[in-house]
């Protein structure tokens, strides 16, 4: 079994680690284009072109499925990716976990990039899945870029700024960018208020990993032999995980897996 994941940068680590935990025997192909990151400020046409290039680089290695581990690419390019790759390669997009967050009754905050915050796409998800629930959209300028470069000071500053714009009574936070899942506990610490119930964070990594397995007719098996390999593609060329990836638990987990031969 081989699962490919794509993103502009290291935001794919969370979903890749989730696949690894569900199926330690699955080979992974991690395809990104870090030189073009971030994709959020780019035009839809530019994002689509870059996403197609990253996806096609992964598809050359014949994966059983491709996870689009990037909210921006899922919003802008998912139809084009599916038109290009399916049915040969099932394509699984990443959708902010607004539905499960709203099921808790709220209030809910959605942390996302400035380009996604207030977008028709996100507003549509709120109308569909969070009707009657108090939802606050919180833009997080600079957070994805700071995570990508493992700039810890900039991460802390961006989280603190977003926390200032997050209502004190929120019960759940939706992590609307895959990069944010790499610093989830730091977000929790910044938003959690004394005396309130524990804050619930809703990411997408586990859900998209499970959906990828369903699409190819496989079941989770955390006890499967851990004999898989990881291939890293940077702008279409084989490489290694960036040093910044090792700053995060998910990156260290994947670095322990044998490189693809």
């Amino acid at each position: 079994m081989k699962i490919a994941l794509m993103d502009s940068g290291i935001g794919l680590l969370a979903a890749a680690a989730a696949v690894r935990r569900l199926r330690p025997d699955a080979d992974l192909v991690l395809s990104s284009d870090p030189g073009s990151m971030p994709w959020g400020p780019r035009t839809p046409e530019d994002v689509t072109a870059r996403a197609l290039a990253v996806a096609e680089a992964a598809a050359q290695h014949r994966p059983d499925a491709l996870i689009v581990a990037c909210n921006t690419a899922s919003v802008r390019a998912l139809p084009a990716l599916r038109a290009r790759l399916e049915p040969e390669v099932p394509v699984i997009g990443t959708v902010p976990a607004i539905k499960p967050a709203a099921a808790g009754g709220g209030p809910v905050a959605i942390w996302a990039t400035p380009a996604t915050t207030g977008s028709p796409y996100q507003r549509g998800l709120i109308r569909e899945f969070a009707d009657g629930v108090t939802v606050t959209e919180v833009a997080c300028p600079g957070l994805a870029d700071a995570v990508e470069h493992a700039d810890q000071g900039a991460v802390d500053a961006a989280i603190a700024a977003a926390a200032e714009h997050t209502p004190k009574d929120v019960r759940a936070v939706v992590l609307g960018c895959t990069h944010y899942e790499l610093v989830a506990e730091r977000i929790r610490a910044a938003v959690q208020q004394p005396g309130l119930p524990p804050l619930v964070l809703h990411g997408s990594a586990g859900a998209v990993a499970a959906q990828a397995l369903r699409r190819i007719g496989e079941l989770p098996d955390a006890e499967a032999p851990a004999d898989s390999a990881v291939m890293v593609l940077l702008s279409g060329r084989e490489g290694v995980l960036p040093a910044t990836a090792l700053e995060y638990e998910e990156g260290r987990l994947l670095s322990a897996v044998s490189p693809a031969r």
Side-chain angles (χ1 to χ4, degrees):
M1 187 192 340
K2 183 183 292 184
I3 305 293
L5 300 98
M6 60 159 286
D7 184 27
S8 57
I10 64 173
L12 52 68
L13 291 177
V19 173
R20 172 71 179 163
R21 294 184 181 106
L22 291 176
R23 287 299 297 255
D25 58 335
D27 289 340
L28 301 176
V29 179
L30 311 182
S31 184
S32 64
D33 184 20
S36 68
M37 195 272 167
W39 284 356
R42 297 183 179 275
T43 65
E45 295 77 15
D46 192 9
V47 170
T48 297
R50 292 176 185 278
L52 284 169
V54 171
E56 288 174 339
Q60 291 179 7
H61 297 274
R62 300 183 180 278
D64 297 297
L66 171 71
I67 294 173
V68 184
C70 174
N71 293 85
T72 298
S74 296
V75 172
R76 303 295 195 194
L78 198 56
L81 291 168
R82 287 179 167 155
R84 185 72 58 89
L85 298 178
E86 291 186 338
E88 289 80 5
V89 180
V91 177
I92 296 89
T94 297
V95 177
I98 295 172
K99 183 177 181 180
V108 173
I110 304 173
W111 283 31
T113 64
T116 299
T117 300
S119 66
Y121 167 77
Q122 184 160 288
R123 292 281 169 85
L125 292 175
I126 294 170
R127 285 194 301 271
E128 183 175 0
F129 296 121
D131 186 38
V133 175
T134 301
V135 176
T136 302
E137 297 178 273
V138 179
C140 305
L143 180 53
D145 203 36
V147 172
E148 176 74 19
H149 295 99
D151 184 335
Q152 306 305 335
V155 168
D156 288 340
I159 289 176
E164 283 294 317
H165 292 91
T166 302
K168 304 303 182 186
D169 62 344
V170 299
R171 309 294 287 275
V173 173
V174 176
L175 304 178
C177 171
T178 55
H179 280 76
Y180 301 173
E181 297 191 48
L182 299 178
V183 291
E185 291 309 313
R186 292 161 74 173
I187 292 172
R188 186 196 306 278
V191 178
Q192 178 69 54
Q193 296 296 312
L196 290 183
L199 184 74
V200 180
L201 299 182
H202 292 272
S204 302
V208 296
Q211 177 65 3
L213 294 180
R214 284 193 291 269
R215 286 289 302 273
I216 62 176
E218 295 285 351
L219 295 172
D221 182 4
E223 302 304 317
D227 57 358
S228 60
V230 173
M231 172 176 287
V232 176
L233 300 175
L234 304 174
S235 303
R237 292 181 290 276
E238 287 190 44
V240 297
L241 282 174
T244 52
L246 304 182
E247 296 287 323
Y248 304 103
E249 178 185 352
E250 295 85 348
R252 293 190 291 273
L253 173 68
L254 296 169
S255 71
V257 182
S258 299
R261 295 292 190 267

